[in-house]
Every structure is written in structure tokens, then in C-alpha cells.
Amino acid sequence: MKHYVITVARETGSGGHDITRRLSEELNIPYYDRDLLRKASEVSGIHERLFGAADERVGWKEMLSAAEKVYTGEILPPDSDDYISTRNLFSFQAKIIKELAATENCIILGRCANYLLIDQPDVRLLRLFIHAPLETRMARVASYSLAWSTHEVARYVRREDKRRAAYYHYYTGEEWRDAAGYDLSLDSQQLGEDGCVELIRNVLPLFT
């Protein structure tokens, strides 16, 4: 029996996490975010703290020395010098993502899941990208970062988007915001969170 998986990529401050959580509740299926780090830690024996440190973070030195894409699917053995490298940590996360997709209906937030699952057998896939105008995203971030100035909020939003784009390109060789990588791209400012959840629920049967 095929399972369906919804992957969600989102711009910083777009409300993608809240939309994912609400969609999870309405569909009564789990969503995975940082839970993946714990699962990868359990499988690999590598401390979860190391997964957290490498999570959606890629250094410029690594980026400049990377091939067209870094992820190959290979998992290095424990006696390898690179066993705890960011590449191997990502490979463990990818393994968990594929195993979850093969065993249950779920939603996966970030971590290149739309790329990792595109050719996964026996998985019905809906790939989402949540975005919004910069001003709207800044207002959301400012609402839970009250001590920050407008300049600090803008810098944070741009920096986080840049990091997510770098992370995605480093492992996949593709562009994070490229519409070809997604089935639906939703403007959360225009639709609102309610509208996004309703639209996703309405189109889900077309993909599953």
C-alpha cells in the first residue's frame, strides 16, 4: 500500500512551520522536523548535538569545494574518518526520511525532503513551498523577537534564507526556490494560514 508524504519547504518567517503543524492536526498524521535529528542519532549512534550543529548549516569553505551535489546516498561506516562529517550526518537524516516515507503517511519539514523523495518507490508525494513578501515575514519574526531592531530582523531573515538556500544547493545541486522542485508554491500573506491549509487539503486527493 502506498503512503502519501507532504514535504514543506518555507522561507524564514513565512509561517510554514505553523501551517505544517495545523495541517498535521487536521489530517491526523505526524509531522517531522527536529524529530529527524533524534531518530538519526538513534540509528547512527552519533550524539544528537552533532546533528543539531550541522542542521541546515553549511560553511562557505565547504560550499566552494563542493561538487555539483554532495549527497550520494552513501553512508560511511563507523571506522571512517568522516563518520561524523556533515555529509554523513545528512546521509543518515536522508535514510530516516526515506524510511518514514515508506512506512507511514506524514509531513516532513525542510531538509531537502522534496528532492530526496522524488523517485522514492511506493510514495505518493506532494511538495510544497511556502513564501511571503519580505515585509510580512519580518513582521512575523519581529513578533517573537521583540528586542530586535528592524535592521536586526531584516538581517536575520535574509541570513536564514541564505543558509537554507546554501544547504539545499550543497546537497542537491539544485536551487531551493526553483519552482520546478515543487508541486505548489503558496503565498501565506495572500492566502493566510487558514487559506493555505484549506487549499492543501483540497488538492491533496489529486496527488494521493
Side-chain angles (χ1 to χ4, degrees):
M1 176 181 175
K2 287 189 176 182
H3 296 89
Y4 73 84
V5 179
I6 302 171
T7 66
V8 182
R10 79 287 189 203
E11 290 183 327
T12 305
S14 64
H17 190 280
D18 289 341
I19 291 168
T20 297
R21 176 181 50 78
R22 291 181 54 185
L23 191 61
S24 170
E25 293 171 353
E26 294 205 18
L27 295 175
N28 195 30
I29 62 174
Y31 80 92
Y32 295 99
D33 183 11
R34 293 191 64 83
D35 318 66
L36 294 168
L37 307 185
R38 174 179 53 79
K39 290 179 177 291
S41 175
E42 292 171 354
V43 169
S44 65
I46 299 172
H47 199 288
E48 185 177 343
R49 176 178 53 81
L50 293 177
F51 282 96
D55 189 33
E56 297 196 5
R57 297 290 188 272
V58 179
W60 289 111
K61 183 178 180 181
E62 290 175 297
M63 285 178 55
L64 292 174
S65 62
E68 183 178 347
K69 66 175 181 178
V70 165
Y71 175 68
T72 63
E74 177 188 15
I75 293 180
L76 301 175
D79 60 354
S80 169
D81 291 340
D82 293 325
Y83 187 63
I84 61 172
S85 66
T86 56
R87 300 184 187 191
N88 208 40
L89 296 177
F90 179 85
S91 293
F92 272 114
Q93 285 191 67
K95 179 178 185 293
I96 297 300
I97 288 170
K98 291 180 179 181
E99 289 177 351
L100 288 170
T103 56
E104 64 182 34
N105 300 327
C106 62
I107 308 172
I108 299 176
L109 188 63
R111 295 172 180 83
C112 308
N114 64 309
Y115 174 87
L116 295 171
L117 297 178
I118 190 61
D119 294 322
Q120 185 81 348
D122 297 327
V123 172
R124 298 167 294 177
L125 188 62
L126 173 58
R127 303 166 299 162
L128 306 176
F129 187 84
I130 310 297
H131 62 95
L134 177 61
E135 294 78 10
T136 300
R137 296 189 289 125
M138 286 177 56
R140 178 185 289 271
V141 171
S143 71
Y144 53 76
S145 305
L146 300 178
W148 287 359
S149 67
T150 299
H151 175 72
E152 288 172 324
V153 170
R155 184 174 61 182
Y156 170 81
V157 170
R158 291 192 173 96
R159 184 179 69 239
E160 288 303 299
D161 279 351
K162 189 174 183 179
R163 284 177 173 173
R164 290 178 184 179
Y167 176 91
Y168 190 88
H169 183 72
Y170 180 69
Y171 289 110
T172 72
E174 299 183 1
E175 298 304 316
W176 178 54
R177 284 190 170 99
D178 187 350
Y182 306 97
D183 302 302
L184 285 178
S185 181
L186 306 179
D187 185 333
S188 59
Q189 192 274 331
Q190 290 290 332
L191 294 169
E193 289 185 12
D194 289 341
C196 286
V197 172
E198 181 180 2
L199 192 155
I200 295 165
R201 290 194 63 179
N202 287 339
V203 303
L204 184 58
L206 300 176
F207 293 87
T208 61

